[in-house]
Amino acid sequence: MILVVGGTGRLGRAVVPLLVQAGHKVRIMARGNSQPFAMTVSDGVELFHGDLASETDCREAVTGCGEVVFAASGFGLKDSDPRGVDRDGAISLVRAAAVAGVRHVVMMSMHGAALDGPIDFLRCKAAAEDAVRSSGMDWTVIRIGSLLEQRLETMTALLESKGKVPLFGSGSAPVTYTSVQDAAAVVVRALLDPALRNRVIEWGSQTLTGNQLAEALLAQAGRGSVQRIPAAAFRVLSVAARPFSPFLARVAGAGAWEESGAASFAFGPQRAEFPDIPVTGLQLGKPAG
Ligand SMILES: NC(=O)c1ccc[n+]([C@@H]2O[C@H](COP(=O)([O-])OP(=O)(O)OC[C@H]3O[C@@H](n4cnc5c(N)ncnc54)[C@H](OP(=O)(O)O)[C@@H]3O)[C@@H](O)[C@H]2O)c1
């Protein structure tokens, strides 16, 4: 049995069908708050309504599982945060998994994860990485870039509603994105291929500037314009918004981090090790260049 924590999320929804198609038994853990449970028991997937904040739920979720994929996140939630989910939730789940005899944990993380990283999310991810590395179980840490589809959805939503594509800062900083499909493919590979055990894998799909993304979206839509949010404004928001909207503060902080240029990374060397995993970049009616 493979437990996919956060199996209803953007990445989880891509991973679960791949595992089922490959003949694995899968259990999903989520609260059922931010997303409905997409699959039903008749699809061969066990659904476990559980909260990472509950040690009892963590223990129950891992019972009978040989492998775990941690794909939950509190970054995008207004009712939670990365400290509760990506750090403390991950640590609780890893502890429960080690006690229950789980053999291997795949921990989703992010490029830039570091205990002294510039944003809370990266510090939380580093703490979760440390927990799995020192757990005594086999582990794989997969550091991805921002999920490409999520960024496109955000930009497209505003283009559709307001005719404007929002751009943080200059739009000239390169950002390495990972497509959901590519992230799911490497998760499945990590579960099956011993070559990925006890390693940190940095997995990207395409490096693009905000200007390139905006131009592609505007060209596809054939209408609209760019709305720039000055770098100074989101630097201020990343601190000033904390008391009334921690979510907005997180997004602004992530924008400031991207503007610094630190969100791009060289993914070619790790990709070269696994050339059979296809690269899926920007899909706006044409394949990635
Ligand atoms: N999105 C990105 O750009 C990005 C970048 C780097 C790394 N990552 C990492 O990649 C993984 C997948 O990200 P994603 O964007 O696919 O996530 P997502 O769409 O935001 O989904 C988050 C999932 O976590 C579950 N969850 C949240 N709080 C929970 C709790 N307390 N207990 C149990 N489940 C909980 C959610 O379901 P409920 O709310 O219903 O519980 C949902 O299934 C995450 O570990 C994330 O940190 C993502």
Side-chain angles (χ1 to χ4, degrees):
M1 176 74 76
I2 301 173
L3 174 69
V4 182
V5 186
T8 61
R10 216 171 262 101
L11 176 61
R13 292 197 300 274
V15 168
V16 169
L18 294 177
L19 294 175
V20 172
Q21 280 155 26
H24 297 284
K25 288 189 176 163
V26 177
R27 180 182 297 155
I28 289 175
M29 177 188 191
R31 297 166 307 163
N33 283 15
S34 54
Q35 294 286 334
F37 278 94
M39 296 219 175
T40 62
V41 178
S42 60
D43 292 310
V45 177
E46 270 186 33
L47 308 176
F48 179 75
H49 279 86
D51 190 333
L52 287 161
S54 155
E55 288 184 13
T56 310
D57 286 358
C58 289
R59 276 198 297 274
E60 228 179 287
V62 295
T63 300
C65 293
E67 290 89 21
V68 170
V69 177
F70 188 92
S73 185
F75 184 89
L77 300 178
K78 293 189 175 145
D79 67 342
S80 189
D81 57 39
R83 289 185 189 187
V85 182
D86 300 79
R87 185 190 65 189
D88 300 345
I91 292 170
S92 290
L93 204 278
V94 164
R95 282 193 189 131
V99 171
V102 168
R103 293 183 294 277
H104 181 207
V105 176
V106 176
M107 178 63 67
M108 295 312 298
S109 186
M110 185 165 195
H111 159 73
L115 290 175
D116 60 353
I119 56 175
D120 201 34
F121 184 66
L122 296 175
R123 296 191 287 273
C124 290
K125 284 298 186 192
E129 289 187 4
D130 277 1
V132 78
R133 275 197 289 244
S134 59
S135 67
M137 297 176 285
D138 277 342
W139 54 271
T140 306
V141 167
I142 300 178
R143 292 183 179 168
I144 55 175
S146 287
L147 286 176
L148 181 58
E149 292 80 356
Q150 185 177 14
R151 183 60 52 90
L152 289 173
E153 269 168 38
T154 312
M155 293 174 95
T156 308
L158 280 149
L159 176 60
E160 281 169 3
S161 62
K162 298 204 163 72
K164 301 272 186 197
V165 172
L167 260 193
F168 273 146
S170 65
S172 59
V175 175
T176 300
Y177 294 95
T178 308
S179 71
V180 170
Q181 195 175 322
D182 288 10
V186 79
V187 167
V188 173
R189 183 65 166 264
L191 287 167
L192 305 178
D193 186 346
L196 284 88
R197 296 277 155 87
N198 305 321
R199 289 180 63 185
V200 177
I201 305 290
E202 289 226 327
W203 202 249
S205 302
Q206 196 171 9
T207 300
L208 293 159
T209 64
N211 290 328
Q212 286 171 320
L213 269 184
E215 276 164 27
L217 284 172
L218 291 172
Q220 180 184 248
R223 67 184 180 90
S225 59
V226 164
Q227 180 170 35
R228 286 188 193 277
I229 301 147
F234 57 79
R235 269 191 226 109
V236 169
L237 265 182
S238 70
V239 178
R242 279 182 203 159
F244 64 90
S245 175
F247 169 75
L248 180 60
R250 283 199 288 282
V251 172
W257 178 64
E258 287 186 358
E259 181 70 5
S260 76
S264 81
F265 59 98
F267 53 85
Q270 296 227 290
R271 282 286 195 168
E273 266 190 77
F274 306 98
D276 56 311
I277 304 183
V279 181
T280 315
L282 190 58
Q283 306 266 308
L284 293 175
K286 56 179 183 176

